Amino acid sequence: GESVGLHLPTLSVQEGDNSIINCAYSNSASDYFIWYKQESGKGPQFIIDIRSNMDKRQGQRVTVLLNKTVKHLSLQIAATQPGDSAVYFCAENPNQAGTALIFGKGTTLSVSS
Amino acid sequence: GAGVSQSPSNKVTEKGKDVELRCDPISGHTALYWYRQRLGQGLEFLIYFQGNSAPDKSGLPSDRFSAERTGESVSTLTIQRTQQEDSAVYLCASSLAPGQGVGGYTFGSGTRLTVV
């Protein structure tokens, strides 16, 4: 079964709001986490990543927070725009030799103007 | 090439037929992955290739599924005797090293398979 999951399957926000998408993982040995964005009809695209020796990483309008104590990962999007509407997946690297990334089920973010 | 290329982009096939899906990874990427994405679902790992090592086939759902990769280039995913539950988008990704590196994986746009 999957070891990565998300708290909410859908999130609806107004343009300009800040969005927070959450993810819980179960493998305490995972050492690398990635957020992907998937627009309709396309493959997932990298947004931001974080290693387990960090608890926060910032990009352009996005911030990833990692809480290893409770095995929780979140993606914060500042000033959400309609173009941010997509499905967001978190993924973990289980830190086992020869093991592929494990993806969660995804959260659909809908941004209305 | 500049990105991961998958073909065909769409495939409709009759139940019981065999299908072959193709993936061209980014040049120089040693690792290649296949995932399946059912409608509205997450990504389900199928198989992963790393260089000349034996592939990790642990995600293949049945013996009707198989995949090959020639060296560090093209990969084909074959589904024999297709069933309606095989209908999904099949995503291919490549990376510099298994699960590591900046940015993780680069995905193709997928092949949407519909079994009728």
Side-chain angles (χ1 to χ4, degrees):
Chain A
E2 294 181 347
S3 67
V4 177
L6 294 170
H7 294 307
L8 289 175
T10 61
L11 177 65
S12 297
V13 301
Q14 293 285 322
E15 182 178 2
D17 287 351
N18 296 331
S19 302
I20 299 176
I21 300 172
N22 295 306
C23 174
Y25 64 95
S26 60
N27 189 338
S28 58
S30 292
D31 64 350
Y32 180 55
F33 303 87
I34 308 171
W35 280 99
Y36 287 90
K37 173 186 180 182
Q38 186 177 28
E39 296 174 293
S40 181
K42 298 182 180 180
Q45 291 183 298
F46 168 84
I47 302 173
I48 192 168
D49 58 1
I50 189 168
R51 296 202 175 274
S52 58
N53 60 353
M54 302 171 68
D55 53 22
K56 181 178 180 179
R57 189 156 189 236
Q58 287 185 294
Q60 271 196 333
R61 285 202 304 118
V62 294
T63 301
V64 55
L65 299 177
L66 175 62
N67 185 331
K68 294 182 288 294
T69 302
V70 295
K71 289 183 282 188
H72 183 269
L73 191 70
S74 69
L75 176 70
Q76 300 178 357
I77 305 173
T80 314
Q81 302 169 0
D84 295 327
S85 294
V87 180
Y88 290 81
F89 294 95
C90 64
E92 65 176 314
N93 178 38
N95 194 23
Q96 299 169 17
T99 303
L101 292 177
I102 300 172
F103 287 79
K105 293 190 188 307
T107 290
T108 300
L109 176 65
S110 297
V111 183
S112 52
S113 304
Chain B
V4 177
S5 177
Q6 291 188 246
S7 61
S9 55
N10 282 284
K11 175 72 177 178
V12 180
T13 189
E14 291 181 351
K15 178 181 173 181
K17 300 284 189 184
D18 298 351
V19 295
E20 193 172 274
L21 313 180
R22 177 187 169 105
C23 174
D24 283 273
I26 291 174
S27 178
H29 279 192
T30 60
L32 184 147
Y33 314 82
W34 284 98
Y35 285 82
R36 178 169 70 178
Q37 186 175 31
R38 291 198 166 106
L39 184 64
Q41 300 296 312
L43 279 68
E44 176 189 4
F45 168 72
L46 296 177
I47 187 169
Y48 133 66
F49 297 89
Q50 167 56 27
N52 294 318
S53 302
D56 175 0
K57 303 179 180 180
S58 61
L60 294 178
S62 76
D63 59 6
R64 296 186 296 105
F65 288 72
S66 63
E68 293 184 348
R69 187 184 187 193
T70 306
E72 294 184 354
S73 60
V74 172
S75 175
T76 55
L77 176 69
T78 301
I79 308 173
Q80 296 178 310
R81 305 180 303 281
T82 51
Q83 304 295 314
Q84 288 186 329
E85 63 261 28
D86 299 334
S87 296
V89 175
Y90 289 82
L91 290 162
C92 175
S94 68
S95 72
L96 285 169
Q100 297 286 348
V102 175
Y105 302 174
T106 300
F107 281 88
S109 294
T111 293
R112 181 175 298 278
L113 175 67
T114 304
V115 182
V116 298

